[in-house]
Structures are given as structure tokens and as C-alpha cells.
Amino acid sequence: MKSLIGKLAGVAVAATLMMSTANAETIRIALAEPPSDELAAFFVALDRAKAQGVDYEWTAFAEEELAIQAVLSGDMDIAFGTPYAVMQRSKAPVRIIFQLSKLVFFPVTTKEFNTLKDLDGQPIMLHSRGGGTDSIANVIEEREGIKFSERSYVPGSSNRVVAMLAGQAKATILDLSNRNKIIAEAGDRFNSLPMFEVKASDEALFANLDWMKANEETVNILVKSLHSVWNDVAKDPTIVSRETDPNGPIGTLPAEVLAELDGFYAEAVAGGLYDPNGGGREAAMADLEWYSGAGQLEGDITTLNPEDFWYFAPLDAAMK
């Protein structure tokens, strides 16, 4: 255990932020990347939960896989991702409790490619192994009858934009906002290829089921806070910038990032990135269908039970 903790601590790309309040419950959160505009709404929800007595601390790991392992080992309580394959194969009591975002992503390539079929035999740059963009690549291969030559992994759409602009890759998969940015900045160099609709989860919040049941009140407050923020963002995307703590991990990001928060969330809401009600059973069924088709879940989909992957009680409580 000491060896595992040392290894995980060694790969953390940002120092753990400790925010302690007397007599408050503290949630240990594993991030798969440093705080960014994509996480701003989540941190607003954390601060709403904090106002109700639930404190938090976070650690940013270099890869989503490491964040997942931190939850499996008990070093962290909650993490981001869509660890369906891990949940099925490990039989670990890990469950998703809230859909943070949908798989609204777009293949972006240099001008030499015009269709998805043109990517046959080409390398592609993705977010993480086993994650949403990896599953998109799997389904593209299956639907188009192609095969990518190799896959490299660079967490964060904004980081993949930088790599594309620097000529380090010819094809990647980007979120809506960063797709729009790269085409606006360098549309003479890059194409946004047509993409089929996907309703499954890109990022979801998951935790150890035993921990959630032992900390029911804490988890309910967190999910209720998330649900309230996601509802508010759907009505007014500027709520994120207005409620962002200027001294918190998002508030201390570069001024140019903060200046674009309203635009980022307006685009995301218009593009259908967020479900105001946190996904729930509808998202769970869409996920099972998508990740089965992507080869990350085994067995006949009709035999898969959503409750083996989701814990609905906290979201049901928030909906009431």
C-alpha cells in the first residue's frame, strides 16, 4: 500500500489542494487533469456543497487510469471518467452517480483528410485509454471499416489543440468548444469531419459504493449541489463565471481563460453537452449501448443491469 500511494503521489501533476473546515465532511477527489474551464461548473457545485458543510480536497493525476486506480485502492473517494470496463472486469463495488457531460466530440484533422474513411491506417491522438474519445475511435473503426495505425494519449482537448497547431499530430477528437476554437483560429489548416450523434456519457462521477452508503448524507449533498448547478447552467450559462471563487482553482486560471467562461458554457449548453438532470437511468442505458458497441463491455446488452454500473439513490433524492 505504501508503494502504491508513493507511486500515485509521484505522478500527480498538481499539488493536492487542502481546504479544511472544522467538523465538515471532506471528500477526496481524483481529477484526471489539472483544473480548467471544463471543470469550472464542477467546482461551483463543490463550493455549493461546501456551504452546506461538505468540504473537499483534490489531486490531479497525469492520466484517467491513475485516478480510477486511486478510487479502487481507497486512496481517493470520487473520480471522473467512464470506467465501464473496469467495473465489469474487476467486480469492484464502484458505481457512477452523476453524468457530468455527454460525448459531444468531433474528429478534427489536417486538410489532407476529408472523411472518416480517409483516416484508415493513420495515427490519432485521444484523451485517455478506455475513455470516451477512445470509445469514439473504436466505433469509428467499426462503422467505417477502418483501422487507426496507432493511438497516442494527451489529456485535455485544449492540450490536443496545442499539439495540432504545433504540427505534432494530424488527427484528433476534440470537444465542441475546442473544435470551434481551432477552426476559427486555423480553418485554413484543419477540417472538422462529419460525426454521428452520440448520447452516451463522456465524463461521469463515480465512487466506491461502500463508501457512498457509509457517507450517504455527504454524497446526497454533493449530488444535490451538482444537480442544482447543472439546472442553473441550462437556464443561464453565465452562472458559472459569476459563482466561481476568485481565489479557488478556477478563479486563479489565466485571465484569458476566465474571460471565455461565459462563451464556453453557452456553446456547451447549446451543443447539448449537459443533461440538467445528471443523466440518470436514460444515460445509463445509453452508456451500456454505446460502450458495448465500443467493445468496452462484454456480453449481450440485454443481460446487462444498469444498477451494476450506476447507483441511482443520490440522484433520485436530488430529483425529489
Side-chain angles (χ1 to χ4, degrees):
M1 180 62 71
K2 288 181 180 179
S3 175
L4 174 61
I5 294 172
K7 180 180 179 182
L8 293 174
V11 298
V13 297
T16 302
L17 180 67
M18 305 294 290
M19 299 181 179
S20 59
T21 301
N23 302 318
E25 295 289 346
T26 300
I27 301 176
R28 301 170 300 171
I29 303 167
L31 304 180
E33 60 186 87
S36 65
D37 50 4
E38 298 176 43
L39 298 179
F42 179 70
F43 276 98
V44 168
L46 287 179
D47 287 340
R48 287 191 184 184
K50 186 177 180 180
Q52 299 181 64
V54 176
D55 214 344
Y56 65 90
E57 61 186 50
W58 59 267
T59 299
F61 292 92
E63 297 179 9
E64 185 175 298
E65 290 176 310
L66 296 170
I68 293 172
Q69 289 300 320
V71 171
L72 292 176
S73 67
D75 296 313
M76 292 281 130
D77 300 318
I78 284 179
F80 288 14
T82 46
Y84 280 95
V86 173
M87 287 190 283
Q88 185 180 58
R89 294 168 188 167
S90 71
K91 305 297 183 182
V94 173
R95 299 291 186 274
I96 291 171
I97 54 173
F98 196 90
Q99 183 194 68
L100 297 167
S101 61
K102 299 178 185 178
L103 271 171
V104 181
F105 279 80
F106 303 87
V108 173
T109 69
T110 54
K111 282 290 187 178
E112 61 194 278
F113 307 108
N114 296 297
T115 69
L116 292 175
K117 284 190 178 296
D118 293 341
L119 296 176
D120 190 25
Q122 298 295 324
I124 191 165
M125 180 172 56
L126 306 169
H127 176 77
S128 65
R129 291 180 180 84
T133 57
D134 215 23
S135 70
I136 289 174
N138 289 346
V139 175
I140 288 175
E141 288 182 328
E142 192 273 330
R143 291 193 182 190
E144 299 294 330
I146 67 172
K147 188 71 176 177
F148 296 112
S149 61
E150 61 179 305
R151 303 183 185 196
S152 59
Y153 298 95
V154 176
S157 273
S158 59
N159 293 326
R160 296 197 296 281
V161 167
V162 172
M164 291 289 286
L165 290 171
Q168 296 172 359
K170 292 184 177 182
T172 188
I173 295 177
L174 300 175
D175 63 26
L176 174 65
S177 178
N178 282 288
R179 186 281 303 264
N180 291 346
K181 287 179 182 177
I182 195 171
I183 296 301
E185 181 176 342
D188 59 328
R189 294 174 53 195
F190 300 103
N191 285 330
S192 176
L193 304 186
M195 180 63 184
F196 42 82
E197 183 182 8
V198 181
K199 296 182 179 180
S201 302
D202 171 37
E203 294 288 1
L205 203 65
F206 65 91
N208 184 288
L209 182 59
D210 296 333
W211 175 84
M212 288 192 284
K213 290 184 175 180
N215 296 274
E216 181 179 11
E217 184 177 357
T218 296
V219 174
N220 283 349
I221 290 172
L222 173 62
V223 173
K224 182 179 179 181
S225 298
L226 285 163
H227 182 259
S228 70
V229 171
W230 261 239
N231 265 271
D232 288 348
V233 168
K235 299 170 186 173
D236 179 7
T238 67
I239 193 73
V240 177
S241 63
R242 287 189 279 116
E243 287 198 24
T244 290
D245 179 2
N247 299 312
I250 302 300
T252 54
L253 290 174
E256 58 268 24
V257 175
L258 298 177
E260 295 181 0
L261 275 183
D262 288 349
F264 174 89
Y265 281 95
E267 284 185 350
V269 170
L273 189 64
Y274 304 119
D275 180 349
N277 291 319
R281 290 169 178 80
E282 183 178 357
M285 292 306 299
D287 286 357
L288 293 184
E289 181 179 356
W290 173 262
Y291 287 103
S292 291
Q296 294 182 27
L297 282 172
E298 299 175 354
D300 186 338
I301 188 173
T302 62
T303 67
L304 297 177
N305 183 358
E307 294 191 0
D308 289 338
F309 303 93
W310 277 68
Y311 179 48
F312 296 110
L315 189 54
D316 288 344
M319 293 287 286
K320 292 178 181 178

